[in-house]
Amino acid sequence: MVDLSTVKDMDSTTTPYGHLLFMHSDNAEAERLTALAGAFDQDTIHRLERFGIQPGWNCLEIGSGVGTIAHWLATQCPHGEVIAADLDTSLIPEGGRPSNLRVIAHDVTVDDFPEGSFELICSRFVFEHLIDRDAVLAKVVRWLAPGGWLLLEDTGPFPFDSSPNPLYRKVSKAIMAVATKRMGSDYGWSRSFPAQLRANGLIHTGIHASSHGVGGTPMGRAWRLTAEHIAADLDAQFGITAADLAEFADQVESPSFDDLCIASVAAWGQRPPVPTMPVPRQN
Ligand SMILES: C[S@@+](CC[C@H](N)C(=O)[O-])C[C@H]1O[C@@H](n2cnc3c(N)ncnc32)[C@H](O)[C@@H]1O
């Protein structure tokens, strides 16, 4: 049995997400992110719908990936503008974009927007990969208009702890350990939801988690492609061989294989609306 605690969290080889690993130019990245969106978009949309989205809202999606959520938001806000922001926007299809969808290259760790720009900001599976995620969160909260909503969704790794399938559990936990070591990802961050939203002044905060099966599903495909992308590290750090990976791929692509994958842990909160001025007393 591999001892995952032997992996140091980070070292001098750690580089941010998208710089050496999971670059959009990598062969299977479009398919991997499309599968991820296929697994989780309905959960995200249900969460967003609870904010009572208005046609004139200006919205921002941070780390849009293939852009499906930003595209959906643009259809909900025909009189506002929706910005799809990502380090690399090359996977967001140019055809069929609503006219109010603006796609921009943007590094959330260094770039900025004016205070109060957006009625809604969302971001899925991005903050866990940002090494300075707490500082970035404080900055992003300032981009919310008074009364605006923030939805963060990040990974919860806990379904793997109770997995009854040893190889699946071992490879899945090793994937997370490799991402932590190579990119500084923190899959424990979502377990402090939604306290950090309250700490940044947001109100009406909440938390919810969802997880999907892997057997022959979009989630299974995304998880297989994730493992294959870092196959060399899985072998070097955990002795996960090509034969192990082939068996893992068979498992997650087989409709008769029953197990859960990562959870999407969602936290949301609202920037307090501008307090109304007290009406002066008439004497
Ligand atoms: C795991 S993918 C998630 C994609 C999409 N949000 C989804 O859930 O389907 C992470 C995305 O965040 C983007 N990203 C990573 N670091 C970023 C940064 N510092 N600023 C903006 N985007 C970033 C990546 O390019 C990638 O598209």
Side-chain angles (χ1 to χ4, degrees), residues 17 24 32-33 36-37 61 63-65 86-87 106-109 124-126 129-130:
Y17 185 105
H24 285 192
R32 193 183 78 88
L33 292 185
L36 193 65
E61 188 189 16
S64 273
D86 202 293
L87 281 180
H106 185 272
D107 181 344
V108 70
T109 65
R124 186 177 69 197
F125 302 138
V126 178
H129 301 301
L130 305 176

Side-chain angles (χ1 to χ4, degrees), residues 213-251:
V214 278
T217 65
M219 189 67 247
R221 173 58 57 94
W223 206 226
R224 170 190 177 161
L225 294 171
T226 302
E228 290 175 350
H229 183 76
I230 54 171
D233 292 87
L234 293 174
D235 188 6
Q237 293 180 39
F238 296 106
I240 291 168
T241 63
D244 291 334
L245 263 196
E247 188 180 337
F248 171 83
D250 283 347
Q251 288 179 327

Side-chain angles (χ1 to χ4, degrees), residues 42-280:
Q42 279 310 313
D43 296 339
T44 299
I45 287 170
H46 283 142
R47 290 162 180 160
L48 291 170
E49 283 175 334
R50 295 179 58 199
F51 300 145
I53 297 169
Q54 297 298 307
W57 279 12
N58 295 312
C59 308
L60 168 68
E61 188 189 16
I62 300 165
S64 273
V66 291
T68 48
I69 290 299
H71 188 288
W72 178 82
L73 276 172
T75 66
Q76 304 302 300
C77 303
H79 306 311
E81 181 180 63
V82 175
I83 295 181
D86 202 293
L87 281 180
D88 180 345
T89 61
S90 61
L91 297 183
I92 301 176
E94 289 189 17
R97 281 183 195 168
S99 58
N100 61 331
L101 175 61
R102 185 150 67 96
V103 176
I104 62 168
H106 185 272
D107 181 344
V108 70
T109 65
V110 297
D111 296 324
D112 213 349
F113 287 104
E115 173 150 6
S117 294
F118 303 103
E119 279 77 30
L120 193 161
I121 300 174
C122 62
S123 191
R124 186 177 69 197
F125 302 138
V126 178
F127 274 69
E128 63 201 18
H129 301 301
L130 305 176
I131 291 164
D132 45 359
R133 59 190 71 80
D134 292 318
V136 175
L137 176 59
K139 177 173 77 169
V140 166
V141 163
R142 289 195 292 275
W143 299 344
L144 283 173
W149 288 94
L150 175 65
L151 174 69
L152 291 184
E153 296 170 300
D154 280 290
T155 294
F158 41 83
F160 302 130
D161 293 334
S162 53
S163 167
N165 297 293
L167 176 75
Y168 175 73
R169 184 173 65 238
K170 172 177 155 180
V171 174
S172 297
K173 288 190 159 202
I175 289 171
M176 321 217 85
V178 167
T180 300
K181 185 181 174 89
R182 293 286 310 275
M183 305 187 298
S185 307
D186 180 358
Y187 297 105
W189 194 62
S190 66
R191 294 300 279 135
S192 57
F193 282 171
Q196 67 273 63
L197 300 192
R198 285 196 295 273
N200 279 283
L202 299 189
I203 60 174
H204 300 140
T205 57
I207 180 171
H208 181 257
S210 58
S211 176
H212 296 274
V214 278
T217 65
M219 189 67 247
R221 173 58 57 94
W223 206 226
R224 170 190 177 161
L225 294 171
T226 302
E228 290 175 350
H229 183 76
I230 54 171
D233 292 87
L234 293 174
D235 188 6
Q237 293 180 39
F238 296 106
I240 291 168
T241 63
D244 291 334
L245 263 196
E247 188 180 337
F248 171 83
D250 283 347
Q251 288 179 327
V252 298
E253 296 279 6
S254 164
S256 61
F257 181 73
D258 299 318
D259 212 328
L260 289 169
C261 200
I262 55 168
S264 149
V265 183
W268 58 88
Q270 185 182 32
R271 185 166 178 187
V274 176
T276 48
M277 296 294 285
V279 180

